[in-house]
Amino acid sequence: MKKKSRFLQTPIEPFAVDAALSADQVLARMERISFQGRNLATAHRIWQKMLQDDVTIFMGMAGALSAGGLRLIVAHLILHRYIDCLVSTGANLYHDLHETRGQHHYVGSPHADDAALAEDRIDRVYDTYASEEEFISNDNWIADFAATLEARPYTSREFLYLLGGHLWKTTNRDGILTAAYRANVPIFCPAIADSSVGMGLSQARHKKPGTGHIDIIGDIVESANLVIRRPRTASVVLGGGTPKNFINQASVQAEFYSDEVGGHRYALQIVTDVPHFGGASGSSLEEAQSWGKLATDSARVSVQSDATIALPILASALANTAPPLLATRKAPVFTLAGRVMTVDGQTVPNARFVEEVNEPTV
Amino acid sequence: MKKKSRFLQTPIEPFAVDAALSADQVLARMERISFQGRNLATAHRIWQKMLQDDVTIFMGMAGALSAGGLRLIVAHLILHRYIDCLVSTGANLYHDLHETRGQHHYVGSPHADDAALAEDRIDRVYDTYASEEEFISNDNWIADFAATLEARPYTSREFLYLLGGHLWKTTNRDGILTAAYRANVPIFCPAIADSSVGMGLSQARHKKPGTGHIDIIGDIVESANLVIRRPRTASVVLGGGTPKNFINQASVQAEFYSDEVGGHRYALQIVTDVPHFGGASGSSLEEAQSWGKLATDSARVSVQSDATIALPILASALANTAPPLLATRKAPVFTLAGRVMTVDGQTVPNARFVEEVNEPTV
Amino acid sequence: MKKKSRFLQTPIEPFAVDAALSADQVLARMERISFQGRNLATAHRIWQKMLQDDVTIFMGMAGALSAGGLRLIVAHLILHRYIDCLVSTGANLYHDLHETRGQHHYVGSPHADDAALAEDRIDRVYDTYASEEEFISNDNWIADFAATLEARPYTSREFLYLLGGHLWKTTNRDGILTAAYRANVPIFCPAIADSSVGMGLSQARHKKPGTGHIDIIGDIVESANLVIRRPRTASVVLGGGTPKNFINQASVQAEFYSDEVGGHRYALQIVTDVPHFGGASGSSLEEAQSWGKLATDSARVSVQSDATIALPILASALANTAPPLLATRKAPVFTLAGRVMTVDGQTVPNARFVEEVNEPTV
Amino acid sequence: MKKKSRFLQTPIEPFAVDAALSADQVLARMERISFQGRNLATAHRIWQKMLQDDVTIFMGMAGALSAGGLRLIVAHLILHRYIDCLVSTGANLYHDLHETRGQHHYVGSPHADDAALAEDRIDRVYDTYASEEEFISNDNWIADFAATLEARPYTSREFLYLLGGHLWKTTNRDGILTAAYRANVPIFCPAIADSSVGMGLSQARHKKPGTGHIDIIGDIVESANLVIRRPRTASVVLGGGTPKNFINQASVQAEFYSDEVGGHRYALQIVTDVPHFGGASGSSLEEAQSWGKLATDSARVSVQSDATIALPILASALANTAPPLLATRKAPVFTLAGRVMTVDGQTVPNARFVEEVNEPTV
């Protein structure tokens, strides 16, 4: 009989339907099917591996995930330290703050009459609505808070920590910003100027000259120094955008100053963009290797799916499978209250790059 | 205080993570989030409604779902009568037959060296492999079987019933074709000529003149007559393609001959194509209303997702929620063994349209 | 100085804007840009190469291209023998017939009120409308014609030739069907049962028993025999779907019976589907090599674009660059009037495969 | 005879192929076809209308358009004042600077061996390569320049004007940055921290303490004040991303302080993202109306296409049709050299919002 081809090793195992399967059991049965179903199951396995290894786990989020009902998942991932550092668009933080302040987004229709919505001052995000009036009240709230701060530049990381603290003290409610505050998880927002958080800050400046100043170049330095301090990293990306690139950039920038940095050891992305138009959001994890953003021997998977489908399943599965891993995980310990943050007792400066791991800093 | 806009009725409820959630519980928590996650949850609800109503449920499947590990889900849906009639591409039936015959598809890589695969005679479907040699053996098996049949035209529905029966008797194994045979669920394959099932049939004709003849115009008549016999219908579409349109066409064609037909009462589609390029696969369910394919008051939802993610979750959820509905459901009863099929005791001719519901037929 | 990497050979040449550029000059300036622009320029070059080589050029078309305003481009490509054989969905042929009969599709809006359209019996295809009444008149026209034919099975190829002839004699107007009739270019329609052409045929059967019979397995045999007769082939695909696969299948099926067949020598596809969901429409040309659908040394390009953008530009460019190539091209010569077609004087049977090129046939 | 439906007004006019069509003639023949082809033709018409009206034309660019060969088109649009203000990602400006400095991007393959590329230190962007070493030299060049500037915060707009001037004086070569410098067209880069321009700035800070400081909240104030000064605006968006939102945000923010602002009067976007995942990049122009980003009676069109296909054609067509419009157009006149820019002789402050159009400023 003819020898079997080396390519034919692992048979596809068709998904078998059963009653009462938990989310992780569903994913386990998807491990040997094909296409994006297999990829989602692989994402579950890779995230578990990240938690077992000694890596700093960055998570990026872009797209209207907070307005779209995923903010408490992200808060959960932060609080239980499935992740160590969040990079977000401003809109996701703003919509999180909106709900943490006790307001809502609303179930709507993608076929709405937008002129009628405009008349009612309702803002539409595909099939979801929000009140413009409430948004304006958020802008004011942010502006008022920012105007109370000392008139100096803040990295987005420092400002968001302070904002999260203020929000927690005011509301005592769960959300992304408040979870990050409570769990001492840093949040970076490199495109904060392109969001309503930025609009609130611009109004602070209008109210009180000298306030509302964000030092986003400091964020670059700080994020790269974090990678220099802890060169083993992992990347979880939801939706691409500026967060995806900023996480990769931290790695690339860190490599200039430290030989120990070699790209993420693990990478998983849940995206809807595609590679063939050349944009960074849809770029493949293979391409990321050419840049050194990703170690060539990294474990990686790209899931082509709307995060509003993939993340609830993935997080529900992890809620079953991850707790023992989380219990023994040694997550990095941050202090975020000061102008200069620390990780595991070492400073992470934002004014200059740390060139040797052991040099005295700032 | 200002009156709230009529647009702001139902707040988004952020997904709350918990351990040990079953698939249906995950979907229940996705009902009030946004975007495709909400749509998937809505699909779960609409399918339940279909099962409670007195409708004939058509399911269409296109894309490499059988090779991709979903064939036993479809077999499950057939056997437990979540659906009443399957419309499929030829490839899905062929890949089903391939595995039912005891062969496999294999886990592969989308980054494979295709020249090396070609040398080994391995056929690749994105990240999945199959042996060309085994495929050739299937073609022969189909050709041999078809050559045993009386030399006359068969509707694809009749041929596939006979093929399913032969496959069941030969293998005693579960699969789409064998489940449909056992459950007396008709399968139509309007584009059978564009598949390896068709290739097998063409080889039958080569082996034994006069065999290998499919009457696909008869399939049009038969499917329309089925809708005339049972004018209340529902449509579940996986992936678009010819099955999606054929199911709609049956409804449109039936309307010419019966006033009781008024488009599907329920429609759910899980597709990855988009509407804005004008193709039928991605066309919206709203557009379908203009054609009368869908009742204007139908319950409907379109889920933009790879079926390899959406279907395992949906089927797992239904496995928990549907059994009581299935227990009381009155599914249409088919006899499929003859040249002319029957439904609920009435003939469903393929030679001419049934113009009045109660007329004597054939 | 450091040696330059072998990867850095050909610089990107930014597109330089100028007044009065013709379509081919625009494409020439896109040859060294990136992404899909480069691919479209490459498609122009590959099509020119096809015309210079001795290959049978198959073209597949799927998606609502006829309704969408591209039917006269396809007619032009047929009449001037840019292509030798068309494989189409039924809808494209039907919408072509609709306009050739003097009727129209209409500019509409994707945001239309579909219930209002349904009330006016207007069918919508994304942003394009048509009258249901006129469609019903087409169905009748097709049915009446088919009912005049001898009551026997016809391959879709034979039927469409006869239909084209009848249409030309009735209307004297340009279109896909009439151009193919006049230029003796065969048209295959493997999924004819999934279209209004099929609906018309089903009504012929209703009107006159025994008519309306299409032998689509005969189409498989015939298309494979065409490749056996002329083993050097090229494939131009618009939109994927059944035509894409049918063209590839002809090549794969032919290979069983002839050693001279080795997959298409040239392949270009203009598609909007993507590979990563596993469907055939979006499958890559690299994957096609594993199947032997495409020669491993073929010239090939995949353009990710709506055909309503890419094809007008490509055809306009070719109208400038191709005429000298067309003038010297030796296109295959078909006779299509009979039950059995011929190419270059050799029969192309549909009842059995031609096993040796020189054997006596039928 | 039955009255024709009100929906059937304008027939589709199939595209007619001819030799020697110029780009604008190709687009003119696409005006009455369907789908994205029609949309591209409409984009051409809308841009012409913008040029005839008295509006400030903002253009946003995201995606690897500069690396991908479109930078000289954008430079052309700036120099000839098809646009008045550019909002860009940092990467597009960086890749522009890379080539203006005499270096290149290179034609590559999407199927490259990324480990081999990594070894050669070649960075891949889908099918395009660049030398990491040359990128590092750019970072240094930017850092060196930034380190020569006075140690104070700069809006991205001010910094990019200075950078463009330095680049022009150093190279005398055409490009986006140099064209904007020469034509006095402001460039905003709200996500500058998420790019290699930002990395260069962070290295400036490392080299010389106190430098490398960007005031992106100032950019928000300045862009909104520009809209307050000139409330009639238009938006041209390539690829979505932060630029798309920033342009809309300027309009929304301006509305808080001026009643004359009412959303863009014209909007055209060329995007590949889709609306149904809820992200801002793919969001529809209809949705934008609900937010007041777009006037409800605006002329607007969304083209679903890779910009590397759509923009070369559109720009080539405009090069034929726009010159008479440009000749009589009264474009806004900027001075950009100072910390505070002016438009048409009025200051555009970045420290506070201008509340009345005629108030004395700064």
Side-chain angles (χ1 to χ4, degrees), chain C residues 54-58 81 83-86 157 183-188 221-233 254 329-350 354 356-359 361-362:
Chain C
D54 183 26
V55 290
T56 309
I57 305 177
F58 287 83
R81 292 304 291 271
I83 64 170
D84 302 313
C85 177
L86 181 69
R157 191 273 312 152
N184 285 308
V185 163
I187 304 178
F188 291 95
V221 180
E222 199 172 79
S223 60
N225 279 335
L226 174 54
V227 177
I228 295 172
R229 291 300 191 204
R230 291 182 51 92
R232 293 181 56 83
T233 57
R329 180 170 189 244
K330 283 204 290 202
V333 176
F334 297 99
T335 66
L336 302 172
R339 199 158 172 169
V340 174
M341 65 181 260
T342 72
V343 63
D344 296 342
Q346 291 187 298
T347 58
V348 183
N350 53 56
V354 180
E356 288 175 67
V357 172
N358 300 314
E359 72 170 345
T361 45
V362 183

Side-chain angles (χ1 to χ4, degrees), chain A residues 1 9 24 64-65 80 110 143 160 177 192 210 240 300 329 339:
Chain A
M1 195 202 146
Q9 300 294 334
D24 58 304
L65 306 185
H80 296 84
L160 292 168
L177 283 164
I192 198 167
R300 61 186 178 271
R329 179 169 192 245
R339 199 161 174 166

Side-chain angles (χ1 to χ4, degrees), chain D residues 138-193:
Chain D
N138 296 332
D139 296 359
N140 255 317
W141 191 91
I142 294 170
D144 286 343
F145 169 69
T148 65
L149 299 178
E150 188 188 343
R152 61 162 171 91
Y154 295 77
T155 57
S156 71
R157 191 272 314 154
E158 184 188 6
F159 173 73
L160 292 169
Y161 176 78
L162 296 171
L163 186 72
H166 181 56
L167 193 58
W168 174 248
K169 284 158 205 157
T170 317
T171 68
N172 231 35
R173 280 204 200 90
D174 275 337
I176 295 172
L177 282 164
T178 52
Y181 169 74
R182 291 164 62 205
N184 283 307
V185 162
I187 303 178
F188 291 95
C189 185
I192 197 166

Side-chain angles (χ1 to χ4, degrees), chain A residues 36-343:
Chain A
Q36 301 310 313
R38 187 200 298 166
N39 289 346
L40 184 57
T42 303
H44 181 219
R45 264 195 302 131
I46 288 181
W47 204 326
Q48 288 174 283
K49 282 188 192 164
M50 287 182 197
L51 296 176
Q52 289 171 277
D53 198 350
D54 182 26
V55 291
T56 309
I57 306 178
F58 287 84
M59 184 163 104
M61 69 184 295
L65 306 185
S66 284
L70 305 189
R71 56 188 270 282
L72 292 188
I73 300 181
V74 177
H76 174 92
L77 297 173
I78 290 169
L79 274 178
H80 296 84
R81 293 303 292 270
Y82 288 82
I83 64 172
D84 303 313
C85 177
L86 180 69
V87 183
S88 176
T89 61
N92 276 316
L93 302 176
Y94 183 84
H95 295 148
D96 172 67
L97 176 147
H98 175 75
E99 294 203 12
T100 303
R101 287 188 66 224
Q103 303 163 137
H104 298 287
H105 298 87
Y106 291 86
V107 173
S109 160
H111 308 294
D113 175 344
D114 288 292
L117 290 173
E119 214 165 296
D120 266 26
R121 305 189 62 202
I122 306 300
D123 297 341
R124 181 167 73 86
V125 177
Y126 191 59
D127 60 6
T128 299
Y129 302 149
S131 154
E132 207 165 292
E133 206 171 331
E134 290 177 0
F135 277 1
I136 290 170
S137 117
N138 295 333
D139 296 359
N140 256 315
W141 191 90
I142 294 170
D144 285 343
F145 169 67
T148 66
L149 299 178
E150 189 189 344
R152 60 160 173 92
Y154 295 77
T155 57
S156 71
R157 192 272 314 153
E158 183 187 6
F159 173 71
L160 292 168
Y161 176 79
L162 296 171
L163 186 71
H166 180 56
L167 193 59
W168 176 247
K169 284 157 206 158
T170 316
T171 69
N172 232 34
R173 282 204 199 88
D174 275 336
I176 296 172
L177 283 164
T178 52
Y181 169 75
R182 291 163 62 204
N184 284 308
V185 162
I187 303 177
F188 291 95
C189 184
I192 198 167
D194 178 45
S195 77
S196 291
V197 179
M199 287 167 74
L201 285 161
S202 75
Q203 293 166 28
R205 173 176 300 195
H206 187 75
K207 289 180 180 200
K208 185 169 162 199
T211 63
H213 201 123
I214 299 296
D215 172 21
I216 37 89
I217 305 300
D219 286 309
I220 299 179
V221 179
E222 198 173 78
S223 60
N225 279 337
L226 174 54
V227 177
I228 295 172
R229 290 300 189 204
R230 292 182 50 92
R232 293 182 57 81
T233 56
S235 161
V236 176
V237 164
L238 307 174
T242 50
K244 174 178 176 176
N245 186 63
F246 188 81
I247 292 171
N248 290 334
Q249 171 182 292
S251 184
V252 169
Q253 180 69 72
E255 234 177 335
F256 291 171
Y257 297 96
S258 164
D259 289 343
E260 294 182 48
V261 177
H264 308 306
R265 266 62 171 181
Y266 304 88
L268 82 82
Q269 61 178 2
I270 297 172
V271 291
T272 54
D273 288 340
V274 294
H276 46 256
F277 301 124
S281 283
S283 65
S284 75
L285 297 176
E286 284 67 38
E287 176 180 313
Q289 295 176 305
S290 76
W291 295 77
K293 298 166 180 175
L294 208 55
T296 50
D297 61 349
S298 58
R300 61 186 178 271
V301 71
S302 187
V303 187
Q304 283 278 346
S305 170
D306 189 353
T308 58
I309 291 182
L311 191 64
I313 295 157
L314 193 52
S316 298
L318 286 169
N320 254 18
T321 57
L325 309 176
L326 292 167
T328 57
R329 179 169 192 245
K330 285 205 287 200
V333 176
F334 297 99
T335 65
L336 303 172
R339 199 161 174 166
V340 175
M341 66 183 259
T342 72
V343 64

Side-chain angles (χ1 to χ4, degrees), chain A residues 63-64 95 114-115 117-118 122-126 132 135-136 139 153 190-196 198-199 201-203 205-206 212-218 220-221 241-242 245-246 249 252-253 256-257 272-273 275-279 284 286-287 289-291 296 306 350-353 355, chain D residues 63-64 95 114-115 117-118 122-126 132 135-136 139 153 190-196 198-199 201-203 205-206 212-218 220-221 241-242 245-246 249 252-253 256-257 272-273 275-279 284 286-287 289-291 296 306 350-353 355:
Chain A
H95 295 148
D114 288 292
L117 290 173
I122 306 300
D123 297 341
R124 181 167 73 86
V125 177
Y126 191 59
E132 207 165 292
F135 277 1
I136 290 170
D139 296 359
I192 198 167
D194 178 45
S195 77
S196 291
M199 287 167 74
L201 285 161
S202 75
Q203 293 166 28
R205 173 176 300 195
H206 187 75
H213 201 123
I214 299 296
D215 172 21
I216 37 89
I217 305 300
I220 299 179
V221 179
T242 50
N245 186 63
F246 188 81
Q249 171 182 292
V252 169
Q253 180 69 72
F256 291 171
Y257 297 96
T272 54
D273 288 340
H276 46 256
F277 301 124
S284 75
E286 284 67 38
E287 176 180 313
Q289 295 176 305
S290 76
W291 295 77
T296 50
D306 189 353
N350 53 54
R352 55 185 301 282
F353 293 102
E355 282 176 73
Chain D
H95 295 147
D114 288 293
L117 290 173
I122 306 299
D123 297 341
R124 178 166 75 86
V125 177
Y126 192 59
E132 207 165 293
F135 276 2
I136 290 170
D139 296 359
I192 197 166
D194 178 46
S195 77
S196 292
M199 288 167 75
L201 285 160
S202 74
Q203 293 167 28
R205 175 175 300 194
H206 187 75
H213 200 123
I214 299 296
D215 172 20
I216 36 91
I217 305 300
I220 299 179
V221 179
T242 49
N245 186 63
F246 188 81
Q249 171 182 291
V252 169
Q253 181 68 74
F256 291 170
Y257 296 97
T272 54
D273 288 340
H276 46 257
F277 301 124
S284 74
E286 285 66 39
E287 177 179 314
Q289 295 176 307
S290 77
W291 295 79
T296 49
D306 190 355
N350 54 54
R352 56 186 300 282
F353 294 102
E355 283 176 71

